[in-house]
Amino acid sequence: MSRIDDLIQEFCPEGVPYVPLADMCDVFNGYAFKSTEFNTEGLGLPLIRIRDINTGFSGTYYSGHFDRKFLVENGDLLIGMDGDFVPRRWRHGKALLNQRVCRIQNFQSNVNAGFIYYLLTIHLKKLQAAIQGSTVTHLSSGDLLKSKFPLPPLEIQQEIVRILDTFTELEAELEAELEARKQQ
């Protein structure tokens, strides 16, 4: 038996409940900042727009007044609500949460944020695949909040996150090694 099998047998031999995301955390939407306060000179803070989530770079800055609740910090879980729905852990310093980008936050004490990250990665891929048409796809926070996910005990969530984080690190190392070999 694996460590996860042992934990499941110990903590939830009858299975795990499926819980709406709204019962596990909050989905916080970004703000429509005044475009008259945008600049490309680096004044103020970077503004995270949908296209910036994947790259981590924003050439657009906001130099006006803002409410601190829209401030994004390293480690925050972000999702673009248009186009490709891919959750990302922000790792690019302080920035501002712009409209059509949401932050998953205020996790309940029985919820591991990394566990939600991995669940959302799978769930959002399924949502994206199910949407038909050639136009830009849209995601609403209401639909996201209604989505149900398995919620095992915290000990099991932590072990799943530990394993998946290890695989993610190994994958990044392998990709870097392949890129280095290509350059040789």
Side-chain angles (χ1 to χ4, degrees):
M1 283 180 119
S2 73
R3 170 90 172 118
I4 292 177
D5 289 333
D6 292 342
L7 289 169
I8 289 172
Q9 195 65 355
E10 179 182 346
F11 291 106
C12 51
E14 304 300 318
V16 297
Y18 274 69
V19 178
L21 187 64
D23 293 347
M24 295 188 259
C25 57
D26 294 331
V27 175
F28 180 78
N29 292 309
Y31 183 72
F33 292 94
K34 293 180 192 173
S35 61
T36 56
E37 303 284 341
F38 291 6
N39 70 82
T40 56
E41 290 80 38
L43 304 173
L45 287 171
L47 194 62
I48 303 172
R49 296 176 297 170
I50 293 168
R51 65 180 175 219
D52 305 323
I53 295 173
N54 291 335
T55 65
F57 171 77
S58 176
T60 304
Y61 290 77
Y62 182 76
S63 59
H65 175 73
F66 62 89
D67 189 322
R68 294 193 57 78
K69 68 183 178 183
F70 296 105
L71 192 60
V72 173
E73 303 277 352
N74 285 338
D76 284 353
L77 181 54
L78 306 179
I79 300 172
M81 305 300 278
D82 294 324
D84 292 328
F85 313 140
V86 179
R88 294 282 186 229
R89 293 175 179 148
W90 185 254
R91 290 184 164 90
H92 308 287
K94 289 184 192 247
L96 293 171
L97 190 66
N98 197 33
Q99 64 183 346
R100 301 300 300 151
V101 177
C102 75
R103 176 175 53 218
I104 309 300
Q105 62 185 31
N106 301 329
F107 296 91
Q108 296 296 315
S109 61
N110 65 333
V111 176
N112 180 298
F115 183 71
I116 297 301
Y117 166 76
Y118 286 115
L119 285 177
L120 284 171
T121 300
I122 296 165
H123 180 70
L124 294 173
K125 281 181 187 176
K126 288 180 183 177
L127 278 179
Q128 189 83 42
I131 296 173
Q132 301 294 324
S134 60
T135 61
V136 176
T137 53
H138 305 282
L139 179 65
S140 79
S141 15
D143 289 339
L144 197 54
L145 286 167
K146 288 187 265 183
S147 299
K148 290 187 175 187
F149 299 99
L151 186 62
L154 192 56
E155 294 83 353
I156 296 173
Q157 294 175 49
Q158 291 167 335
E159 181 64 9
I160 290 169
V161 168
R162 185 192 67 74
I163 291 167
L164 292 175
D165 281 350
T166 301
F167 279 118
T168 301
E169 289 169 21
L170 287 173
E171 182 181 40
E173 289 173 14
L174 286 172
E175 286 177 12
E177 178 67 24
L178 285 172
E179 186 60 34
R181 289 177 185 242
K182 284 180 187 176
Q183 289 177 358
Q184 284 179 346

